[in-house]
Amino acid sequence: MIPVMRPLLGEEEALAAAEAVRSGWVAQGPRVREFEEAFAASVGARHGVAVSSCTTGLHLAVHVLGIGPGDEVVVPSLSFIATANSVRYTGATPVFADVEPGTGNLSASTVEPVLTGRTRAVMVVHQAGVPADVDAIKALCAPRGIAVIEDAACAAGSTYKGAPVGTNALLAAWSFHPRKLLTTGEGGMVTTDDPEWAVRLKRLREHGMSVSAADRHNGGSAVIEQYLETAFNYRMTDIQAAVGLVQLSKLDMIIARRRELAARYHELLADLDLETVRDPECGTTNYQSFWVWLPEGAPDRQEVLAGLAERGVSARRGIMASHLEPAYSGHGSVELPVTEAFTARTLILPLFHDMTKSEQDQVVSALSATLHASRLTVRG
């Protein structure tokens, strides 16, 4: 079975993790600090704060802005449910906005209709690595005093207007889950240019301690820490950071390979009546996922996924719509026609670094055969 995703992990990552274990310092320590600095530099940010996941990073981003009960944060429903959940964690209300069909992203025109006097922030997702037009959303929000948070979970290495996604972000959160291009197993990062927020974010991830455990250890004298505010345990380990540093050194190579594979998919799929993920006008995607739209009149997507599985291909449903999940039953929202079409009519094809041409041919052949079996027409 051809998997939908396989992380690029090897001997270098294993040796780096083993060296962290042998060092005797496996909790948050010097490797975390090194990873924070290297990752922040790679995305054009001044500060990085490593955390246990992108979800906890998003929670801290909302928290540090002082958002809470009675406040609203605009989010796309078309996103992993953690995006909306991170707002709920603070007691604020996530407000769903629709997305653009070509990118799966929020835009100024989809955000504006749901803004209210209670809106404190907009959480923009760079969906599956496709960069959103953040500047247009900032231009809409800035005069209203509304903050823009970037959910860049999938976007490491994507570009926006010629610079890395995350450059000039107020607050951006990143994921290092195994389905992402850069993985530490689990883990995440918050990046920002604000030094005061960076200091507070580091404190918030570590129970609100005035001095971190690593700094106390390296201080050379006894230090009694204080706990300055109610906070969280959202730390990353040095083992994870060691793996992350190796992964970061490979990121450019990984992206180049994925874009090569995506270009070949575009060629192979040209004869099928399918729309596919592509670079938007505002930047370039890292192709964290390769989605395709099933054409009008196509069979139920579950039938297509089953047909692919029968032919040795593991595909996945398209991006979820949070407002359709039981956790958000009864949660009011505007009509979201593009979101509902996107989540119902897209599927994600296999794409991973060491994918071979024969595997890619098999995926396209399986998809074509499945569609033909359902009496769908093929152009040409």
Side-chain angles (χ1 to χ4, degrees):
M1 181 74 74
I2 299 173
V4 72
M5 170 62 176
R6 185 159 55 219
L8 182 65
L9 292 167
E11 188 65 17
E12 288 180 88
E13 287 84 357
L15 290 172
E19 181 57 32
V21 172
R22 284 192 292 266
S23 76
W25 193 282
V26 296
Q28 180 180 283
R31 290 170 180 80
V32 167
R33 180 170 296 176
E34 184 181 354
F35 185 39
E36 288 172 334
E37 293 173 353
F39 184 81
S42 76
V43 300
R46 294 179 182 174
H47 305 281
V49 180
V51 289
S52 54
S53 69
C54 184
T55 307
T56 58
L58 289 171
H59 177 207
L60 290 183
V62 178
H63 183 82
V64 82
L65 289 172
I67 294 171
D71 297 328
E72 295 177 350
V73 177
V74 176
V75 301
S77 171
L78 190 77
S79 183
F80 185 58
I81 202 166
T83 303
N85 284 350
S86 67
V87 177
R88 274 188 167 178
Y89 296 160
T90 67
T93 301
V95 174
F96 294 123
D98 213 353
V99 296
E100 297 294 339
T103 64
N105 288 329
L106 296 181
S107 67
S109 63
T110 67
V111 167
E112 187 170 21
V114 299
L115 297 179
T116 73
R118 294 184 298 277
T119 306
R120 291 285 310 283
V122 174
M123 190 175 287
V124 181
V125 178
H126 300 284
Q127 194 54 258
V130 177
D133 190 356
V134 180
D135 285 353
I137 296 173
K138 287 180 179 178
L140 170 69
C141 292
R144 296 168 167 84
I146 297 170
V148 176
I149 301 168
E150 298 184 39
D151 180 342
C154 301
S158 296
T159 69
Y160 175 64
K161 294 185 176 180
V165 164
T167 302
N168 299 320
L170 182 74
L171 291 156
W174 311 79
S175 174
F176 306 132
H177 183 272
R179 287 236 19 220
K180 308 306 187 288
L181 274 65
L182 190 166
T183 183
T184 60
E186 287 284 0
M189 188 83 69
V190 181
T191 55
T192 183
D193 287 344
D194 190 305
E196 293 183 3
W197 281 353
V199 169
R200 187 165 180 233
L201 287 164
K202 289 179 179 180
R203 187 169 69 232
L204 285 167
R205 72 174 172 193
E206 195 169 9
H207 302 286
M209 285 195 290
S210 58
V211 183
S212 72
D215 287 342
R216 291 201 312 274
H217 176 77
N218 295 323
S221 60
V223 177
I224 304 299
E225 76 280 7
Q226 293 180 304
Y227 295 82
L228 304 177
E229 56 183 315
T230 302
F232 314 95
N233 181 4
Y234 288 169
R235 292 172 290 195
M236 175 183 280
T237 70
D238 257 29
I239 300 171
Q240 292 170 292
V243 172
L245 284 164
V246 175
Q247 286 273 288
L248 185 59
S249 72
K250 298 178 179 180
L251 184 59
D252 288 346
M253 176 262 291
I254 292 172
I255 292 169
R257 174 60 175 158
R258 294 181 78 88
R259 289 183 61 80
E260 176 185 323
L261 289 166
R264 190 166 187 269
Y265 260 144
H266 289 143
E267 293 176 4
L268 294 173
L269 292 168
D271 288 337
L272 299 180
D273 187 17
L274 301 171
E275 296 177 32
T276 65
V277 58
R278 293 179 183 272
D279 288 336
E281 292 183 4
C282 63
T284 62
T285 176
N286 60 12
Y287 286 103
Q288 186 269 340
S289 291
F290 192 95
W291 75 64
V292 299
W293 281 78
L294 296 175
E296 294 288 349
D300 179 79
R301 183 183 53 191
Q302 201 62 32
E303 183 181 335
V304 177
L305 291 172
L308 289 172
E310 289 172 2
R311 294 169 172 85
V313 174
S314 177
R316 293 289 183 271
R317 68 170 183 171
I319 300 155
M320 68 181 294
S322 299
H323 78 284
L324 299 179
E325 294 298 319
Y328 283 88
S329 176
H331 183 89
S333 67
V334 298
E335 291 187 357
L336 304 170
V338 176
T339 294
E340 293 183 5
F342 208 115
T343 199
R345 291 179 47 213
T346 60
L347 56 85
I348 294 172
L349 299 181
L351 183 65
F352 46 92
H353 186 81
D354 54 357
M355 190 177 201
T356 64
K357 287 184 177 180
S358 62
E359 286 174 324
Q360 204 169 23
D361 292 342
Q362 182 181 338
V363 171
V364 175
S365 175
L367 182 58
S368 178
T370 299
L371 296 179
H372 274 300
S374 301
R375 295 190 174 92
L376 288 178
T377 59
V378 178
R379 289 200 308 253

